[in-house]
Amino acid sequence: MPLIRLDKASVAFGARPLLADVDLLVEPGERIGLVGLNGAGKSTLLKVINGHVALDSGELWIDPGCRVAELAQALPAADERRVWDVVAAGLSEVVAMRAEYDELASQTDSASLAKLESLQQQLEAVDGWHLEQRVERVLTKLKLDGEVLMSSLSGGWRRRAALGAALVQEPDLLLLDEPTNHLDIETIEWLETQLKEFRGGLLFISHDRSLVDHLATRIIELDRGVLTSFTGNYSAYTEQKQVLLEQEERQNALFDKRLAQEEVWIRQGIKARRTRNEGRVRALKAMRKERSERLGRQGKASFNLEEAQKSGKLVAELENASVSFAGQPVIHNFSARIQRGDRIGLIGPNGAGKSTLLKLILGQLEPDSGSVARGTKLEAAYFDQLRGQLDEEKTIIDNISEGRESIEINGQRRHIIGYLQDFLFSPERARTPVKALSGGECNRVLLAKLFSQPANLLILDEPTNDLDVETLELLEEILLNFEGTVLLVSHDRAFLDNVVTSTFAFEGEGRVRAYVGGYQDWLRQRPVVKAAEKPTEKLSGKTASATEEKPAEAKKKLSYKLQRELDALPAQLEEAEAALEALQAKTAEPGFYEQDHGVVSEVLAQLSEQEQKVEALMERWVELESM
């Protein structure tokens, strides 16, 4: 039985449909990634399910036994609440009933006793007597100290507390809206692991393609008010989606050709009009109506940046540069040479010192020791994730134009309205104050401002937050074609892998190391850290080892059953790999994607399942070999 069901559900804001007669089933245990362009209505769909937005028409059915919880996009406040209280707030109704029960327990009048008996039954029905144990179990699972104040925690730890408030409800369905925003890579990977271990259903929105790819078992796309389901993860979705877009373009082209032919026919001379078929005329009217009502895809962002004259070949050279704050090393003896055309990713936990290194390179900060030499003819443009360069009271036009009616991009004059349309802002929307924009729109405004300035050095601090995937991919393409130098701070693993040529990794205690390639390349190259050497993380004054050191143990002899399993694995793996190769060959055949969508989807689902099977066998082999 499904957890939730939407039947012919519709929601519109003004004349614009966000949901148009959509149907949706969510089964127990599914992990569904919800994708679509910014403004397509993804968050609205989640709000419909959690009851925050009412349907204009259609029906929402939720299994009466289904518990739905939400991990909101906004972080919980850094206030004076204890973490224990924040997690317990997920059971606010139970907390309120317990407080009322404790208050009534000291009263002896008949009305109070009757109410007390009713409350007792309600608490038993929701397992309210084990409130403390439920909260403590979640705190232990998420490695949270319940006595710590929220004001002392970083954004990543506050996200953990928010997840705890959702998990303590023991939900059957968990809704997540951009859960990775402003989290560092380490915390994103921790969150990914927690969500994989969650046994309930997931319905989530995320621009983090790596997270969606690793987590989703199904993708649903919201496009022009219509929901389309795709079996498999994000990679399978992109392949299937490309096929559908090609089919749609062919169908639209045939329709438009036929309509043009009918328009020629209706305009023929008097003799033809006397003998024309009235049914054909009615059909033409219907075709005209269908064409006028066809909802075209929302325009894709299409922008270029204004490139300045080339900088010198050397952009910056650091020799044994060190910076400390309050006696703590942030950067220690770091040496690197940055040349024109380098695209460098800076990765590390929040607060590790990435912004400090950028300031060293730009000359906004001098090292305590060592030296930094900077190149010539540098013109830098800076993308600030905090959007400090935007005046929220001014309109989009006023923020970008700075009093100009037109701007010059690579030698061509562009009217400010036309320029902003490249960033998906209609003339009406361009006159909106920045404070009224969504997070994704604010980032597009900042990109528009950034790319209107001549630059040969781009400093991008978390540019990917809130951007839809198509805009992300366009930004990747622009950066790949940019002839200047790029310094990129990002926690988006796929974006780093697709853009950067080298990586500066912050590995704790002021250690910064340079690596060739992106995030995955860093994972392969980084040194293996022994348990005793692993960095520690501080939480409210306490220091906890990231991994507990265990004494070395002698390798144990496998049991008879495990040894037989190990002996059988090579043959099983060989068979599974052969089946995988057959499926891969099938998908590579000419015309494979021209088949019926259902056939293509089924084969791609088999391919995804077989890949997971091979991976599971490999992991089991490694596990048994290491015993």
Side-chain angles (χ1 to χ4, degrees):
M1 179 182 290
L3 298 175
I4 64 169
R5 183 178 65 239
L6 280 171
D7 290 325
K8 304 296 181 185
S10 295
V11 173
F13 290 160
R16 180 181 169 213
L18 295 179
L19 303 177
D21 289 334
V22 303
D23 298 326
L24 174 65
L25 289 177
V26 179
E27 301 287 349
E30 281 196 294
R31 299 198 299 264
I32 302 175
L34 176 56
V35 302
L37 295 173
N38 285 344
K42 302 185 296 296
S43 295
T44 299
L45 178 58
L46 293 192
K47 290 175 182 177
V48 166
I49 294 171
N50 63 26
H52 296 165
V53 170
L55 291 173
D56 295 335
S57 62
E59 180 186 0
L60 167 65
W61 176 86
I62 300 179
D63 185 326
C66 175
R67 292 186 296 271
V68 180
E70 175 188 12
L71 180 61
Q73 184 174 357
L75 287 173
D79 52 24
E80 298 308 302
R81 290 176 297 168
R82 296 183 306 157
V83 169
W84 199 101
D85 297 321
V86 172
V87 173
L91 298 169
S92 56
E93 293 183 3
V94 178
V95 172
M97 283 193 287
R98 280 284 299 271
E100 186 178 2
Y101 184 92
D102 293 340
E103 183 180 343
L104 290 171
S106 61
Q107 302 178 25
T108 57
D109 60 280
S110 57
S112 297
L113 291 174
K115 178 63 174 174
L116 202 64
E117 183 178 353
S118 173
L119 276 172
Q120 182 174 350
Q121 294 173 354
Q122 293 177 51
L123 284 165
E124 288 172 354
V126 295
D127 194 26
W129 300 115
H130 297 102
L131 168 67
E132 290 81 4
Q133 293 92 320
R134 290 168 68 178
V135 173
E136 290 297 335
R137 277 200 303 270
V138 170
L139 291 173
T140 301
K141 178 180 177 62
L142 302 185
K143 297 182 173 61
L144 287 165
D145 184 340
E147 297 305 312
V148 170
L149 298 181
M150 294 292 287
S151 58
S152 68
L153 298 183
S154 67
W157 285 100
R158 282 153 54 205
R159 177 69 74 197
R160 288 196 190 206
L163 179 61
L167 295 181
V168 77
Q169 301 173 51
E170 299 174 359
D172 302 291
L173 177 63
L174 183 57
L175 308 177
L176 306 99
D177 191 352
E178 296 289 5
T180 64
N181 270 4
H182 307 294
L183 299 185
D184 56 42
I185 291 176
E186 182 181 355
T187 308
I188 290 171
E189 292 181 335
W190 171 87
L191 178 63
E192 188 178 292
T193 301
Q194 295 298 317
L195 295 176
K196 280 183 178 178
E197 293 176 356
F198 176 63
R199 295 306 170 204
L202 290 177
L203 179 56
F204 64 99
I205 302 167
S206 178
H207 69 268
D208 189 317
R209 289 161 291 179
S210 294
L211 180 85
V212 180
D213 207 34
H214 296 158
L215 201 57
T217 57
R218 178 158 69 103
I219 300 292
I220 55 174
E221 181 192 54
L222 183 55
D223 180 19
R224 293 164 285 178
V226 177
L227 277 180
T228 307
S229 179
F230 299 83
T231 304
N233 61 7
Y234 185 79
S235 297
Y237 152 75
T238 56
E239 294 178 3
Q240 297 173 66
K241 179 62 179 177
Q242 184 59 37
V243 174
L244 289 182
L245 287 175
E246 291 170 359
Q247 290 175 350
E248 182 180 356
E249 287 177 6
R250 287 196 295 269
Q251 290 168 358
N252 286 343
L254 288 172
F255 180 93
D256 292 345
K257 181 178 180 181
R258 184 174 165 223
L259 176 59
Q261 292 170 344
E262 294 300 291
E263 292 288 5
V264 170
W265 170 79
I266 200 68
R267 290 175 174 79
Q268 287 177 347
I270 184 69
K271 182 178 179 181
R273 286 200 299 272
R274 284 175 182 162
T275 59
R276 68 188 179 186
N277 184 303
E278 292 303 321
R280 190 172 177 182
V281 174
R282 288 194 297 271
L284 173 58
K285 289 180 179 178
M287 289 178 72
R288 285 172 174 171
K289 183 179 180 183
E290 181 180 344
R291 178 66 181 84
S292 68
E293 291 179 350
R294 184 197 296 167
L295 285 171
R297 282 181 61 79
Q298 177 184 330
K300 294 182 181 180
S302 173
F303 45 84
N304 290 295
L305 52 82
E306 167 76 341
E307 292 198 29
Q309 63 173 326
K310 287 185 178 180
S311 67
K313 186 175 182 180
L314 176 70
V315 173
E317 185 168 16
L318 298 87
E319 271 195 49
N320 297 321
S322 296
V323 176
S324 297
F325 293 127
Q328 296 295 320
V330 177
I331 297 170
H332 181 65
N333 285 348
F334 178 55
S335 298
R337 184 180 178 86
I338 302 172
Q339 295 185 317
R340 184 180 65 232
D342 285 346
R343 297 191 300 274
I344 301 172
L346 280 67
I347 62 175
N350 288 336
K354 299 186 291 295
S355 297
T356 300
L357 181 54
L358 290 178
K359 290 176 181 177
L360 274 180
I361 294 169
L362 292 173
Q364 298 173 0
L365 180 70
E366 294 299 326
D368 299 335
S369 61
S371 63
V372 180
R374 300 171 189 91
T376 58
K377 301 180 182 177
L378 291 178
E379 292 190 50
Y382 183 72
F383 182 101
D384 174 15
Q385 64 164 320
L386 300 178
R387 302 166 186 151
Q389 296 155 285
L390 299 180
D391 187 333
E392 293 193 346
E393 298 300 323
K394 290 183 178 180
T395 65
I396 299 173
I397 291 176
D398 291 338
N399 268 281
I400 305 303
S401 68
E402 297 177 344
R404 299 168 293 175
E405 287 191 1
S406 61
I407 58 176
E408 187 171 311
I409 303 294
N410 292 328
Q412 294 185 343
R413 302 294 298 178
R414 298 287 310 278
H415 192 278
I416 191 68
I417 293 292
Y419 176 68
L420 287 173
Q421 285 179 320
D422 290 348
F423 292 81
L424 301 182
F425 293 112
S426 66
E428 180 183 1
R429 193 63 173 166
R431 295 180 175 89
T432 303
V434 168
K435 64 183 180 183
L437 303 181
S438 68
E441 287 176 315
C442 283
N443 272 14
R444 277 192 271 126
V445 175
L446 201 50
L447 287 173
K449 188 177 182 70
L450 179 81
F451 290 169
S452 68
Q453 305 166 9
N456 51 36
L457 172 61
L458 293 179
I459 297 94
L460 306 175
D461 189 357
E462 286 295 345
T464 65
N465 281 342
D466 302 312
L467 293 181
D468 59 58
V469 171
E470 292 192 346
T471 307
L472 275 177
E473 290 174 347
L474 179 59
L475 180 57
E476 288 175 355
E477 183 180 342
I478 288 171
L479 295 179
L480 289 173
N481 293 328
F482 180 54
E483 295 184 358
T485 307
V486 178
L487 300 176
L488 169 66
V489 176
S490 180
H491 302 309
D492 187 322
R493 294 160 288 178
F495 193 78
L496 286 165
D497 284 332
N498 293 342
V499 170
V500 305
T501 55
S502 57
T503 299
F504 292 166
F506 290 71
E507 299 178 343
E509 299 178 356
R511 292 191 302 269
V512 185
R513 293 192 177 98
Y515 297 87
V516 174
Y519 176 73
Q520 294 297 330
D521 298 301
W522 168 68
L523 285 182
R524 286 191 291 270
Q525 298 174 65
R526 64 178 177 173
V528 177
V529 182
K530 297 179 181 179
E533 297 175 348
K534 286 199 175 181
T536 60
E537 59 183 5
K538 294 184 179 180
L539 178 59
S540 185
K542 297 182 180 180
T543 303
S545 173
T547 304
E548 292 184 6
E549 186 179 4
K550 296 181 179 179
E553 297 180 1
K555 188 173 182 180
K556 298 178 182 178
K557 185 177 180 180
L558 292 177
S559 66
Y560 175 74
K561 182 179 178 181
L562 291 179
Q563 186 61 52
R564 287 199 61 183
E565 182 184 356
L566 177 59
D567 293 340
L569 274 172
Q572 293 175 9
L573 190 57
E574 186 176 348
E575 181 182 348
E577 287 177 333
L580 177 60
E581 288 176 6
L583 286 169
Q584 289 171 336
K586 193 171 184 178
T587 61
E589 291 174 356
F592 171 76
Y593 288 101
E594 296 177 6
Q595 301 177 88
D596 180 74
H597 174 59
V599 174
V600 173
S601 296
E602 183 178 352
V603 174
L604 291 176
Q606 292 173 0
L607 178 64
S608 177
E609 183 178 341
Q610 195 64 25
E611 287 173 341
Q612 293 174 15
K613 183 177 180 180
V614 170
E615 186 177 345
L617 287 171
M618 286 292 293
E619 289 178 355
R620 183 59 174 162
W621 192 2
V622 172
E623 181 183 0
L624 291 175
E625 283 281 9
S626 63
M627 285 185 178

